[in-house]
Amino acid sequence: MSWPLLAAPGGALTETTSGPWLFALLLPLVTATVVVQLGDGGLDARAVALLGVLSAVVAAVRPFGAGAAGVETVFFLIVLAGRVFGAGFGFLLGCTGLFASALLTGGVGPWMPYQMFAAAFVGLGAGLLPRTPDTQPGRAGEVALLVGYGVVASLAYGLLMNLSFWPFAITQGELAYVPGGGLGENLPRLLAYSLATSLGWDVGRAVTTAVLLVLTGPLLLRVLRRAARRANWS
């Protein structure tokens, strides 16, 4: 997803618009690789069933926000599931949940692979959060940790989504992408572009996610962990 910042000068990705198409074609292969690596060889029937249920829930709640004015109602559930069931499950839920919600809301388009992969990283990061004495299950510190992560992940999601179209959105000026300019030159331009265009939506997403985590986190963490125990989740 970060190819605009890392592409070499004069390369095919900087001279053409093939980057997004290559990304879309590689997404199924990358997803399959992650399933094998993070799922320790595959998912059993219980994991697949739970993934389907939570993906359906993500698809059902997304129309309540659907990104209008930055309101997003799906990331809190991806964060909670990633925390309880692990990084691999969180990654898959981000992919499948955004895919199902796109079909439900009519949001299918060239941006969908980027949304799926960016949301997958949100779930992946939630599963990799540390488990310190202050953030053990059932303690207030765990919810505070998830709220802080949810804010950061929501802002990072907006930044990753900007990478999907920023290189082609502006061709001149201080906010424009410089083909082959490298990380040092293009990253400040990307940050400036994000501040000028999408900051309001990104902050709205972060606030919505934080509020939903505070309101539902303690209850849903218990519910998800109870489901994990009954399913002998390891």
Side-chain angles (χ1 to χ4, degrees):
M1 295 184 69
S2 59
W3 70 265
L5 303 177
L6 305 176
L13 294 179
T14 60
E15 301 298 329
T16 68
T17 59
S18 60
W21 294 106
L22 288 175
F23 177 81
L25 292 174
L26 289 173
L27 180 61
L29 178 61
V30 173
T31 303
T33 302
V34 173
V35 170
V36 174
Q37 300 251 339
L38 297 180
D40 293 330
L43 297 174
D44 60 19
R46 294 167 300 181
V48 172
L50 186 58
L51 180 65
V53 170
L54 291 179
S55 297
V57 174
V58 168
V61 300
R62 195 180 188 192
F64 291 99
V71 177
E72 285 280 7
T73 54
V74 298
F75 290 100
F76 81 101
L77 185 58
I78 295 174
V79 169
L80 294 173
R83 174 66 174 180
V84 173
F85 299 111
F89 188 90
F91 183 93
L92 293 175
L93 180 61
C95 279
T96 58
L98 267 290
F99 177 75
S101 66
L103 296 180
L104 181 64
T105 61
V108 178
W111 55 84
M112 188 179 70
Y114 284 89
Q115 289 180 335
M116 291 170 57
F117 217 41
F121 278 114
V122 172
L124 177 70
L128 296 176
L129 290 174
R131 299 180 185 274
T132 64
D134 291 336
T135 62
Q136 289 301 309
R139 297 193 178 185
E142 182 181 35
V143 176
L145 174 67
L146 294 179
V147 169
Y149 172 77
V151 170
V152 174
S154 297
L155 298 175
Y157 176 87
L159 198 65
L160 290 175
M161 287 305 303
N162 284 343
L163 279 170
S164 67
F165 59 86
W166 164 64
F168 318 108
I170 300 178
T171 57
Q172 297 180 356
E174 295 298 323
L175 304 182
Y177 170 66
V178 179
L183 185 65
E185 185 172 6
N186 279 317
L187 182 58
R189 290 172 175 263
L190 172 63
L191 295 176
Y193 175 83
S194 300
L195 289 173
T197 59
S198 66
L199 181 61
W201 277 264
D202 297 339
V203 170
R205 182 186 306 110
V207 171
T208 304
T209 301
V211 170
L212 290 174
L213 284 171
V214 170
L215 294 178
T216 67
L219 174 61
L220 288 183
L221 285 171
R222 290 196 298 270
V223 170
L224 293 175
R225 287 191 170 112
R226 186 180 299 115
R229 287 194 300 268
R230 291 184 175 180
N232 294 321
W233 192 279
S234 59

